[in-house]
């Protein structure tokens, strides 16, 4: 089955700096890669996603890049703000609409 | 729309007890799933359903049962609770499009925090 690894597990940045979270996946058949943000005490919420026929996607301060050959994808957050502090999860979707999640990254943005 | 709702929010069980975690969605989604979240391990799929009357196992199904008698509801049953089942449980739903289609966003409920003593 699919295996998704996510790094780093914790990330601390100064407000205004950029943050990058990286994920690798194992199943070359996976073709949908969402990123979720989870705030304390809440369920994960989709923030951006990318499909296998696209190399990069941007939505205001967040962007995701995908390298299918190397089987890795990354989340980029620019001009970080304190409200960006949360746990971020990457995921890969393969057969049967099943999502496999990475272990999560706790992002802390210091004011 | 209420989205995905889960009850209860918190539950404490003793080893060997049984209980049902409730999940409901009002978005007419075909696909529903249950995950457990443990520290440092992300979310792991327990069971999922692609429509009423159809269920299948995910990555960690042992100790759990599910059924899907209606589109809206997808309860998760713990038959005989064990301390290893202490976790936060999330229910999610989505349209069941083809992989890579436009309807794959999964909407998550607020979670149930379960402690088994």
């Amino acid at each position: 089955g699919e295996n998704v690894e996510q790094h780093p597990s914790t990330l601390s940045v100064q407000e205004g700096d950029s943050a990058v979270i990286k994920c690798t996946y194992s199943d070359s058949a996976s073709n949908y890669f969402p990123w979720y943000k989870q705030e304390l005490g809440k369920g994960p919420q989709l923030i951006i996603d990318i499909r296998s026929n696209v190399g990069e996607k941007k939505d205001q301060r967040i962007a995701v890049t995908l390298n299918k050959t190397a089987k890795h994808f990354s989340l980029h957050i620019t001009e970080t703000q304190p409200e960006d502090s949360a746990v971020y999860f990457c995921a890969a979707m393969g057969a049967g609409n099943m999502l496999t999640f990475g272990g999560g990254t706790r992002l802390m943005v210091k004011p | 729309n209420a989205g995905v709702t889960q009850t209860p929010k918190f539950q404490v069980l003793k080893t060997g007890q049984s209980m049902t975690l409730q999940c409901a969605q009002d978005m007419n989604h075909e696909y529903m799933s249950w995950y457990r979240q443990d520290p440092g391990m992300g979310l792991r799929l327990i069971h999922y359903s692609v429509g009423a009357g159809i269920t299948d196992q995910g990555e960690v199904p042992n100790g759990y049962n599910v059924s899907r008698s209606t589109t809206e509801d997808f309860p998760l049953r713990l038959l005989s609770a064990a301390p290893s089942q202490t976790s936060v449980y999330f229910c999610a739903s989505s349209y069941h499009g083809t992989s890579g289609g436009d309807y794959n966003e999964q909407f998550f409920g607020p979670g149930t925090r379960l402690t088994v003593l």
Side-chain angles (χ1 to χ4, degrees):
Chain A
E2 176 66 276
N3 182 48
V4 178
E5 296 196 357
Q6 182 172 346
H7 299 282
S9 56
T10 60
L11 179 59
S12 181
V13 300
Q14 205 68 37
E15 181 178 358
D17 288 349
S18 295
V20 180
I21 303 170
K22 298 182 178 182
C23 290
T24 60
Y25 62 98
S26 61
D27 186 356
S28 57
S30 291
N31 56 10
Y32 173 66
F33 307 92
W35 286 88
Y36 287 85
K37 177 182 181 181
Q38 186 178 26
E39 296 177 338
L40 193 63
K42 297 183 179 180
Q45 185 171 14
L46 181 73
I47 56 171
I48 195 168
D49 57 14
I50 191 166
R51 306 185 192 280
S52 59
N53 58 348
V54 175
E56 183 174 358
K57 183 177 179 180
K58 189 173 181 179
D59 183 4
Q60 298 183 342
R61 296 188 297 108
I62 60 173
V64 58
T65 59
L66 172 65
N67 183 327
K68 280 209 73 180
T69 303
K71 289 190 280 189
H72 65 70
F73 55 114
S74 301
L75 177 72
H76 305 252
I77 306 174
T78 59
E79 301 172 21
T80 53
Q81 301 167 5
E83 52 265 37
D84 294 329
S85 296
V87 178
Y88 292 81
F89 291 97
C90 64
M93 179 176 283
N97 263 20
M98 292 178 61
L99 276 178
T100 301
F101 284 81
T105 297
R106 182 174 299 278
L107 173 65
M108 294 169 284
V109 180
K110 296 177 287 186
Chain B
N1 284 354
V4 180
T5 57
Q6 291 184 238
T7 56
K9 291 188 185 304
F10 302 95
Q11 183 70 50
V12 178
L13 293 177
K14 294 181 179 178
T15 297
Q17 288 184 316
S18 62
M19 79 159 294
T20 300
L21 280 63
Q22 301 292 344
C23 174
Q25 53 90 11
D26 61 359
M27 297 174 282
N28 202 30
H29 286 167
E30 301 100 325
Y31 184 88
M32 296 186 73
S33 53
W34 276 101
Y35 295 88
R36 61 176 289 172
Q37 183 176 32
D38 302 297
M41 299 187 72
L43 290 91
R44 292 182 292 168
L45 183 66
I46 304 171
H47 284 286
Y48 66 98
S49 168
V50 299
I54 306 170
T55 64
D56 208 344
Q57 297 181 350
E59 181 185 355
V60 287
N62 292 341
Y64 308 95
N65 272 1
V66 292
S67 59
R68 185 93 179 271
S69 56
T70 67
T71 300
E72 296 78 18
D73 301 296
F74 191 44
L76 178 73
R77 296 182 185 84
L78 280 70
L79 307 173
S80 177
S84 60
Q85 294 179 303
T86 294
S87 188
V88 182
Y89 292 84
F90 288 99
C91 179
S93 73
S94 69
Y95 290 110
H96 183 58
T98 56
S99 290
D102 289 338
Y103 304 113
N104 287 326
E105 178 181 355
Q106 292 207 15
F107 295 84
F108 283 83
T112 294
R113 184 175 294 275
L114 176 67
T115 301
V116 183
L117 303 175

